[in-house]
Amino acid sequence: MTTQREDITHNAAGFETDQDAVFDRIAARYDLLCDLFSFGIHRHWKRRVAQLIAREPWRDLLDGATGTGDVVLRVAAAQALGRDHHIIASDISPKMLAMASRRASNLRANITFRQLDAHAMPAIADASIDLYSISLGLKICERDKVLREALRVLRPGGRLVVLEASHIAPAWLHRAYLHYMGMAMPIIGWLATGGDASAYQYLLKGIHQFPDAADLADEIRAMGFTEVSFEKLTLGIVAIHVARKPA
C-alpha cells in the first residue's frame, strides 16, 4: 500500500482533485493561460503528441486529463479516423469537458467525453484500451496511481504516450527558466484568471517539483512498462515519453 508520504512525493503540485475545483473555475481561460505561459509553444508539443498517436495502430484511445481537448482534436485532424476508431476524452472537470465537447462539435470523429478521475477509472474495463495518452496532467496528479491505472486499462501490447515537464540542460539554464517562471507565472496567472491564485500556484509548484525525463522514464519502467523512451522538446522544457504494456 502506498504511504501518505509517498503519495505526496509523487504529486509534484500537491494538488487534491477532490478539494479544489480550480479547473472548473478557469475552464474558459485555460487555453489563454497555456498560450501565455508557453508563448504558444504548447501547441507544437501537442501536435507532436498527436503525430506519435497517429503512427500507432489503435481502435480505442483514452486521453486522460484531456482539458479542453487539444490533443484529441489534433489526433482527429492528423489521422483519418474510421468508424472503428473510438476516442474517450476524459477529465475530472465537467466544465473543461464541456469546452472540449463544444470544440469538437464539427468533427465527425467518434469521440466520447467522460468525467473520469485518472487516479481510478472503474468505469473503464481492464485491458480494454489500445492507447492511453496524458498531456501536462501528471504534474498535478499522484503519478504513480495514474500510471498504474493506465497499465490496468491498456491491452497487452498497448501504448502509453505522456507529455510532461522536464529539465533543461545545462542545469544553470534550467534554474534560470524556473526563476523566470517564478516571476512571470504569478503575474500572468493573476491577470488571466482574475486573481485566482490557486491555478498558477499548482502549475508552478508542479514544474519545480517534477522529475527529469530520465527519472520519469525510470518510474514508468518500474511500474511495469517496457520499451520506454523519451524525446525532449524546446531545450528540454518538456519531454514526450512512450512506452508499451508487456504483451
Side-chain angles (χ1 to χ4, degrees):
M1 180 179 294
T2 305
T3 66
Q4 183 179 12
R5 185 165 184 168
E6 286 173 337
D7 285 348
I8 293 172
T9 301
H10 289 89
N11 187 336
F15 176 60
E16 298 294 337
T17 55
D18 58 348
Q19 295 181 16
D20 191 348
V22 58
F23 291 100
D24 274 348
R25 298 196 302 273
I26 67 168
R29 292 163 289 188
Y30 181 74
D31 291 328
L32 173 62
L33 273 173
C34 290
D35 282 334
L36 291 174
F37 287 152
S38 72
F39 297 102
I41 300 174
H42 75 103
R43 298 172 183 270
H44 163 67
W45 303 336
K46 292 168 182 174
R47 278 196 299 270
R48 179 60 178 155
V49 171
Q51 290 169 356
L52 291 174
I53 292 174
R55 292 178 183 176
E56 292 290 325
W58 59 270
R59 290 182 301 172
D60 296 289
L61 162 66
L62 172 58
D63 188 50
T66 200
T68 59
D70 270 356
V71 168
V72 294
L73 294 176
R74 284 175 169 80
V75 169
Q79 187 171 3
L81 301 182
R83 292 183 179 180
D84 57 338
H85 289 89
H86 178 218
I87 298 174
I88 302 174
S90 70
D91 201 283
I92 199 168
S93 166
K95 291 190 177 180
M96 285 287 213
L97 286 173
M99 292 284 294
S101 180
R102 283 196 293 272
R103 293 179 66 192
S105 60
N106 293 325
L107 294 175
R108 295 184 178 180
N110 182 13
I111 306 176
T112 302
F113 297 89
R114 300 184 64 174
Q115 185 177 355
L116 299 172
D117 185 340
H119 296 102
M121 301 178 290
I124 306 297
D126 293 356
S128 61
I129 300 296
D130 298 309
L131 195 150
Y132 180 98
S133 60
I134 183 167
S135 299
L136 305 176
L138 276 187
K139 72 169 66 66
I140 57 170
C141 298
E142 294 174 20
R143 59 184 181 273
D144 50 345
K145 291 184 178 180
V146 173
L147 292 172
R148 189 177 298 115
E149 190 70 346
L151 188 65
R152 180 188 69 82
V153 302
L154 281 169
R155 293 187 173 102
R159 201 64 150 168
L160 173 74
V161 179
V162 177
L163 167 65
E164 197 44 88
S166 184
H167 292 194
I168 302 172
W172 67 265
L173 185 57
H174 184 66
R175 289 193 297 269
Y177 166 71
L178 293 178
H179 181 67
Y180 161 74
M181 292 299 288
M183 293 190 301
M185 187 174 280
I187 298 172
I188 295 172
W190 188 87
L191 292 172
T193 63
D196 190 343
S198 58
Y200 54 82
Q201 286 176 348
Y202 288 131
L203 296 173
L204 182 59
K205 184 178 180 183
I207 291 171
H208 273 270
Q209 300 299 325
F210 205 78
D212 180 48
D215 292 328
L216 180 59
D218 287 342
E219 290 184 16
I220 294 172
R221 221 173 269 114
M223 193 60 61
F225 287 95
T226 61
E227 300 179 34
V228 182
S229 62
F230 63 85
E231 63 171 312
K232 289 189 173 186
L233 304 177
T234 318
L235 300 177
I237 292 176
V238 299
I240 301 177
H241 290 72
V242 293
R244 194 173 299 281
K245 180 176 178 175

